[in-house]
Amino acid sequence: MSDTSVNRSIDRSDRPGHAGFVLLLAVVLIGAVVALSFVASDAAQPLIVGFLAILAMVGVFSLFGLAIGFVQLTGRGARNDLTKHLVDTAPEGIIVVGPDSRVTYANEAYLMLSGTAKGGDVRIVERLFSGSAEVSEAIYRLAQAARESRAATEEIRLQPGLTGNDAGWYRVRVRPLPRPGSRAATVWSVVDVTRDRERQENVFQELQHAIDYLDHAPAGFLSVDAAGDIVYMNATLATWLEHDLAQVGSGGLKLGDVAPANAAALITAVKGAPGDVHTEILDVDLRRRGGKSLPVRLFHRVAIGADGAIGPSRTLVLNRSPGEDVAEGLRAAEVRFARFFNNTPVAIATVSRHGAITGSNGSFARLFGSALAKSEGGGERSLFEMVVERDREALGNALSAAAAGRDEIAPIEATVDGEGGRSARLYITGVEDTEGDGAGEVAIIYALETTEQRVLEAQFAQAQKMQAVGQLAGGVAHDFNNVLQAIIGYSDLLLANHRPTDPSFQDIMQIKQNANRAASLVRQLLAFSRRQTLRPQVIQLGDSLSDLSLLLKRLLGEHVTLDLHHGRDLWLVKADVNQFEQVVVNLAVNARDAMTDGGTLTIRTANVSAADSEKLGEKSMPVADYVLIEVADTGTGIPADVIDKIFEPFFTTKEIGKGTGLGLSTVYGIVKQTGGYIFCHSEPGVGTTFSIFLPRHQPVVVEEPVKIQPGKAQMPDLTGRGTILLVEDEEAVRAFAARALATRGYTVLEAASGREALAVIDERAAPIDLVVSDVVMPEMDGPTLLGELRGRQSDLKVIFVSGYAEDAFKKHLPEGEDFTFLPKPFSLKQLIEAVKGAMVGR
């Protein structure tokens, strides 16, 4: 609209003048004249002069006010002509409605939209827009906003339009207009946006046509982001894969849903330097929704951003199913080769003389996934950067040998660079360089992952070493037990012949006490070698730990806090209560020593189901139900170069005289003999956690503890009568036992071996009441001797004595064999009680 156009706006914002004021002024003036007429001429003269002076002063001040703009001859709307002109000529229609719904102002654009003739009545917006229910609802929302003095906007489609066209789109806004000294008015604006909407619809239709063309193209289109989410898939590919197109792009479909693991690894392995656009041609199998394979060829393009971030791919998918390709024979051969190449469990890649990877299959991408990246110079992916530095020299020599045409190249054991410590065995075969400049393929790499094999080999080697040390410790403990048996036995004989008041009584007692201390160390050796005697029973670990907590608090001292967390509804386990307490005490003492400045010892128990145990990934522990006992401290931690040796006997990091090195080895042996597993996880400076997994016990019948009836304690009678055959290869032990039994009234026959014992029985015509025999003896062991004795006297009672555990030889006895077991070293009283019990049938 030009500046010379006629202003057709309506402005009723100024208050018009009122004729009553003029009449009032005339009445006042007439009254003044009439009043002066009644005054004498001499007296009226000063009054007239004063009245005229007042009128003159009003006139002068009015002229000054007009000159400086304080007084205007027109209304207030003319005070800012520029602002009013801007509103009058605005392209959108503007109307101002007062609180009484009276139109205060309407510009020319609004008058044209509303079709108002000059001087005609202006229709407000509510009357201007009427029609369908949608229009009425939109106008109602705007009117409600006006009543609530808030701004609002609606786009309304009116048919027919305001200017006579078939249909029109209008953007209607409303907002409050505060006015000083009076109630707020409401500003409405109406803009015709029909052309904008028509352009948007045209663009949308063109976009719809493009999407329709792309969706129904004879090739598939796919876009995958760096996280493996499918952000786009056209209808053609969705039909091939039997997927609902509505799921794509909404987070409902991932690459793993349409591609096997090898193919997915190959697709996501495309990487590059910042700013690169990398394109590869991949022959892979996609997976239909029903599980069937779809052979395809991918033209896979990935753009890498300036920050190194991988953008969504642009992937063209060609269907290579039977009947889709003209060269059917060649197509089928390529599909078969692609399936073989990408689905083989062997990782395969072709490399140049300098280690650049020119091609690879899905298994190679999975094996070297974390290390499969561009070199620092931005060149091709280099095999040298995918292995650790110590293996690169051997790899370079092998590639040089392949380039030189050597046939037999020794395989290379390599560790993959990156997290996890994965390893592989690389087999290298040379091929002819088609490029001739060393940049082409010179070798084919076949890689077999050996990560799990190396872990198992390390565990097996450790187990063999521990077994060998355990056998040595067990043998030493057995022989040492015989020596201690003699010392303890003869000490008991001496004590029996001395009174406590004798000077030598205390000396003998010291000998016995130190022998018992030595026997305790021997038991720890036997615990490590898993040859100690256990008395397993069904226990509830939560109750056992609660009973042990008072002892643990005294052991830990004031500076270490004990924190117990019991799992709910813990399963039962079967273990030796005393040995289990020994395990917890040993771990607690070690934790206390690691927290010299104080800390927290946390003992936690929980049920571990078979599914949870499988998730732990411990290869040496079978999948089953377990009960977990976790002992964690906040101490100094265990260094990485020491943690593999902590369960070895006599290994300790403590100062001389402050540790025997048998604590953790004892723990290891007890846990293993109970059928459990123990693992240690430590971080220097943070703390150490020992995790013990004991197998869940599921009793067939309810096991009830034996109830002991209270009664008056009586001194038992340990004397007796009968013939006892004592078989022991250690002369000192045999002499002690024979003397002890003889003093209690028994007839004792001695034999130094199994064969000698059989000879004694064969020479004796009368039957023997009891055989007390060692288990480990030269020429014939205890179980073999028992078998021979049963052939001569079937009801013969037997007591086995041994420094090994009962389970070590029980499996060599016939099923259901009845015998009594007495572990070495034993005291005089223990021997007599065992013999007395066997003789009377207890």
Side-chain angles (χ1 to χ4, degrees), residues 540-553:
Q540 217 286 341
L541 290 180
D543 297 339
S544 299
L545 288 174
S546 297
D547 296 340
L548 192 62
S549 60
L550 293 177
L551 173 62
L552 292 177
K553 289 179 181 179

Side-chain angles (χ1 to χ4, degrees), residues 782-806:
T784 305
L785 174 62
L786 179 59
E788 295 290 339
L789 293 176
R790 286 283 185 249
R792 291 168 171 77
Q793 188 175 338
S794 60
D795 60 345
L796 189 60
K797 298 177 181 179
V798 178
I799 296 178
F800 281 124
V801 295
S802 177
Y804 291 139
E806 178 181 343

